[in-house]
Structure formats: C-alpha cells, structure tokens
Amino acid sequence: AQKVTQAQTEISVVEKEDVTLDCVYETRDTTYYLFWYKQPPSGELVFLIRRNSFDEQNEISGRYSWNFQKSTSSFNFTITASQVVDSAVYFCALSEANTGGFKTIFGAGTRLFVKA
Amino acid sequence: DTGVSQDPRHKITKRGQNVTFRCDPISEHNRLYWYRQTLGQGPEFLTYFQNEAQLEKSRLLSDRFSAERPKGSFSTLEIQRTEQGDSAMYLCASSDNRGQIVGELFFGEGSRLTVL
C-alpha cells in the first residue's frame, strides 16, 4: 500500500532563513513518481516538481531544491532564503506506476509560515 | 489556455439535499480526477476518468456519490442526500498522460461544500 508521511505539521521561520520540509513515503512498487505541490492561501494546488524512482539526482530550481534518497524513502524539499510569499501548505505526493499512475496519494501537508 | 475551472465555488445546503458540482478540465487533458480535502488534511482521491470512462472509484465514494464525464469533456460530481460529514472542499484536477504514465495534476480552485 502506498503512504506518504509529512511529520512536520507547521513550520515557522523568519524571512531569509533556509527551511527543509520532510517527506517519507512507502510503496511496494519499484516504479513510482514523487511530487511536491504548493497550496497558497488562495487555495489552488500548484505543481512544483515530479521525480521518478529511477532518477535520484537532486534537483535545484532557483531557491528550491529537492533531495531524493531511495535508501531512506525520503523526498525532502528545501527552500533557501525563504520569502513571505513562500507561506503556504506544501504537500508531498506519491503515484505508483503499477496502478497506471492514476492514483496520486498526498501527505497531510506542512504549513509553512514565513515572517517578515 | 485556461486552467481547470470548478462551479460553484461555494455551496451551502441543508442535510438531505442533493448537490452537484461541475468541473471543466484543461482542454485536451485526457484524465480527470476528483479529490476531497478536509481541513488540515491533504487531498483524498475519490475517482478518476480516462476520457469518458470512469476507471476507478475510492472506497470513500459511497453510493450517494456519482460522477460522470460525458463525451470526455467536463465532469459532474453529484452527492445525494447530503450529510454533515460531506462538508469539505471538492477538488477537480486534470492531467495529460499521453506519452507518459504519470503527468502532474492541474487543480481547480475547488468547490467548498457546507452541509448544515
């Protein structure tokens, strides 16, 4: 069964601090996809990144970076030099290829507060 | 290209009434999904369509819930005999999975249901 755990319910940082959001997943499939989505106060979930299980290269996009480690089943997300606009709920998600990839399972989310 | 649109954005109803939500996906996206999100939780998968075919339904979707996607375009989610436990945000998402197994989800702003 697939499962995503985001142990951090809320994180509060001061602007310009770095912050890491943790994500641990469970799956029996060897081929799967991991995602991060952002849900700002306006409510609409926005896609940030997708990784497949065969690509463990870390990725950097501007102030965002992702660390994928299959050995620990983790897919952590780091925001460098956080800004107030980063305040949102962030969801980690998992989709297994053996289900046709249709069923994306989300974690409970981590609410990030960035104070000016 | 417009995004995923949902209607109505808010619905307040009395227990026992029927409600219907509509979702217009991004044009030419072949997959359409319904999720439910309650306060402090991540989206929970309800059902999905590949074109006009409903291929999977979650156990969360009781027989009071029905979804359709006629002609593989817009979709409707109907809840009959609403209960207070149905109060939630109902999210629609679409994805383009042609040529790959798992595409990212594009979400609408959601339809918030309050059952009194």
Side-chain angles (χ1 to χ4, degrees), chain B residues 18-91:
Chain B
N18 299 343
V19 296
T20 299
F21 301 115
R22 176 182 169 121
C23 171
D24 287 90
I26 293 173
S27 57
E28 299 181 355
H29 274 191
N30 59 336
R31 289 188 178 180
L32 185 147
Y33 311 77
W34 286 99
Y35 281 80
R36 181 172 68 187
Q37 186 177 23
T38 53
L39 196 62
Q41 298 299 314
E44 296 173 293
F45 172 82
L46 293 179
T47 188
Y48 107 103
F49 293 83
Q50 175 110 352
N51 301 312
E52 68 275 8
Q54 186 176 18
L55 298 184
E56 183 71 17
K57 291 173 62 174
S58 164
R59 287 171 295 176
L60 292 174
L61 219 62
S62 75
D63 55 7
R64 297 184 296 105
F65 289 71
S66 63
E68 295 182 344
R69 191 185 183 195
K71 303 178 183 178
S73 56
F74 71 92
S75 175
T76 58
L77 176 67
E78 181 183 17
I79 308 174
Q80 295 182 326
R81 306 182 302 282
T82 52
E83 301 173 356
Q84 288 184 327
D86 296 332
S87 295
M89 178 75 85
Y90 290 85
L91 300 171

Side-chain angles (χ1 to χ4, degrees), chain A residues 33 35 37 39 42-45 47 50 91 95 97 100-104 106-108, chain B residues 31 33 35 37 40-43 45 48 56 91 100-105 107-109:
Chain A
Y33 299 80
F35 304 81
Y37 288 84
Q39 188 172 39
S42 61
E44 188 171 330
L45 282 122
F47 164 80
R50 175 186 58 221
F91 293 97
S95 189
F102 67 83
K103 189 174 179 180
T104 301
F106 288 78
Chain B
R31 289 188 178 180
Y33 311 77
Y35 281 80
Q37 186 177 23
Q41 298 299 314
F45 172 82
Y48 107 103
E56 183 71 17
L91 300 171
Q100 59 184 352
I101 295 177
V102 181
E104 66 267 28
L105 300 176
F107 282 88
E109 293 179 299

Side-chain angles (χ1 to χ4, degrees), chain A residues 6-18:
Chain A
Q6 294 180 256
Q8 303 151 309
T9 305
E10 289 186 1
I11 300 176
S12 184
V13 299
V14 176
E15 206 170 21
K16 298 184 183 177
E17 284 186 11
D18 299 346

